[in-house]
Amino acid sequence: MWSKGLLRNKSRQYLAKLQHCASFKSLYSTKPELELVGHFSPEINNRNIYPVGQMFLHKIFGYRGIVLHPWIASVYEKSKPAKGGRSHSKFLGTSLQVQTYYHVLMDMRDFPYNQSENAFIFTSLNIHDQNNLLDVIPGMDYVNHNHIMPYESSEKLPIQHALFEHFFDLDSSKKSFVVSDLFSTWQEENGTYLEVDKVYVTVVDQIKVVIIPFYLGFKEELVGQDEHWWRYTVCVENLRDDNVVISERHWKIISNGSVKKSRNVGELGKAPVLGKEHPVYFNTSHISLKTASGTVRGLLKLQLSNGKRVDIITPTFFLESRCNFQL
């Protein structure tokens, strides 16, 4: 599905077809297979930026992808030494860095089979359909510069995604891909909730948690009672030598003096297990509020392989609106 900006005038019928294409389900691979896809290119340092159209392998998830657009984000990281047991003590400090995150299109052949289907998605509000409030495009991700492993593809169609041929054109003179006019139009219309500007990170007891919030806009209900929406991604990485089970996740959402609590137990009742083979859990969720801002504090309840239980405080992240943007 696509947002309102693309469904206009003469392009309405054509783009409606793209809506259908983008809502496919991939046949996730269940075992690794080796095949020649290209040749590695030199990595660049984080003072430089990979160009739009750069092919890459993701260093953590292993999927092939292509860069749609780079964003410059403020990364707030808190960390404290691992001491074991409960981790309720205050963090020692916060560091602020500026890092590049890339909006990318994934190759759906490489979708990590151990992640949920809503892990790598782009969503936008659709106020014209009360039965489907969120439009969803699968196979999109935001990748840290340090997780990019660039390569030159040897395939004629290097990325298998329903939107690849609509979002990219081949520059035959340079033998590289550039974004199409259609993508540029889509990005211009949806740039407000495509941008990643703040990233929140904690590293506690060798458990790394990264949260990225995105503002999706608001829909009008009653006078003075708008409903604001955010999408956020949560990435939990186990840096320990032993397995870790995420048994529960607790959120406390503070907004305009009120507090809402939510509790989640695994995915579809199954607790994620993070070990050497699959050390990362990734998911996308949404929050709606009657106010234009809020604060989210969280807690992960973990169980170690020796049976010991550990509580990890997740990074506090802020829900900020851009009220000049209305659906």
Side-chain angles (χ1 to χ4, degrees), residues 53-241:
Q54 175 67 61
M55 306 294 303
F56 70 92
L57 294 179
H58 196 295
K59 288 184 179 180
I60 293 179
F61 294 111
Y63 64 73
R64 286 164 284 186
I66 186 170
V67 171
L68 287 166
H69 187 81
W71 295 100
I72 305 301
S74 298
V75 180
Y76 301 86
E77 180 170 348
K78 294 183 178 182
S79 60
K80 75 182 191 69
K83 294 182 179 180
R86 295 186 177 272
S87 304
H88 291 301
S89 59
K90 293 183 178 180
F91 291 103
L92 295 181
T94 302
S95 65
L96 172 60
Q97 299 181 12
V98 176
Q99 297 181 9
T100 303
Y101 275 75
Y102 299 90
H103 185 201
V104 307
L105 198 66
M106 297 172 57
D107 191 317
M108 296 304 285
R109 293 172 294 182
D110 303 334
F111 194 105
Y113 70 90
N114 61 312
Q115 303 294 334
S116 66
E117 292 184 22
N118 66 332
F120 304 97
I121 60 174
F122 167 83
T123 57
S124 59
L125 284 182
N126 177 14
I127 62 173
H128 305 292
D129 187 347
Q130 295 301 317
N131 295 322
N132 295 287
L133 183 60
L134 291 172
D135 289 342
V136 179
I137 299 178
M140 285 189 171
D141 192 13
Y142 288 82
V143 184
N144 184 286
H145 179 93
N146 295 324
H147 295 161
I148 295 285
M149 188 180 296
Y151 77 96
E152 294 181 8
S153 177
S154 59
E155 300 176 289
K156 291 184 178 180
L157 187 63
I159 298 294
Q160 289 194 16
H161 190 289
L163 299 181
F164 175 73
E165 293 180 278
H166 302 292
F167 275 2
F168 286 95
D169 295 324
L170 177 63
D171 184 342
S172 55
S173 63
K174 298 181 180 179
K175 296 183 179 180
S176 61
F177 289 96
V178 295
V179 292
S180 65
D181 292 340
L182 176 60
F183 173 78
S184 298
T185 300
W186 181 73
Q187 184 183 48
E188 181 179 353
E189 295 286 351
N190 302 305
T192 303
Y193 44 83
L194 285 169
E195 180 182 4
V196 51
D197 62 344
K198 291 184 177 65
V199 178
Y200 301 91
V201 182
T202 58
V203 182
V204 182
D205 292 343
Q206 295 182 281
I207 301 295
K208 183 176 183 178
V209 183
V210 180
I211 299 179
I212 307 179
F214 300 84
Y215 182 58
L216 300 186
F218 67 93
K219 68 187 187 78
E220 294 182 325
E221 293 187 336
L222 301 175
V223 177
Q225 294 187 12
D226 300 325
E227 185 178 29
H228 296 261
W229 280 77
W230 290 264
R231 176 180 77 253
Y232 65 94
T233 62
V234 178
C235 182
V236 183
E237 182 177 3
N238 179 17
L239 304 176
R240 305 167 63 96
D241 293 328

Side-chain angles (χ1 to χ4, degrees), residues 302-322:
L302 310 180
Q303 182 174 341
L304 308 183
S305 57
N306 61 6
K308 186 177 182 179
R309 296 184 181 276
V310 178
D311 291 348
I312 299 293
I313 297 176
T314 62
T316 296
F317 64 99
F318 301 99
L319 304 175
E320 301 170 311
S321 66
R322 304 174 184 181

Side-chain angles (χ1 to χ4, degrees), residues 25 28 113-119 246-249 263-273 281-285:
K25 286 180 67 176
Y28 304 152
Y113 70 90
N114 61 312
Q115 303 294 334
S116 66
E117 292 184 22
N118 66 332
I246 305 176
S247 56
E248 294 183 25
R249 186 199 71 189
R263 174 175 173 265
N264 178 271
V265 182
E267 286 291 322
L268 300 177
K270 184 178 181 181
V273 179
Y281 166 78
F282 188 82
N283 195 33
T284 300
S285 299

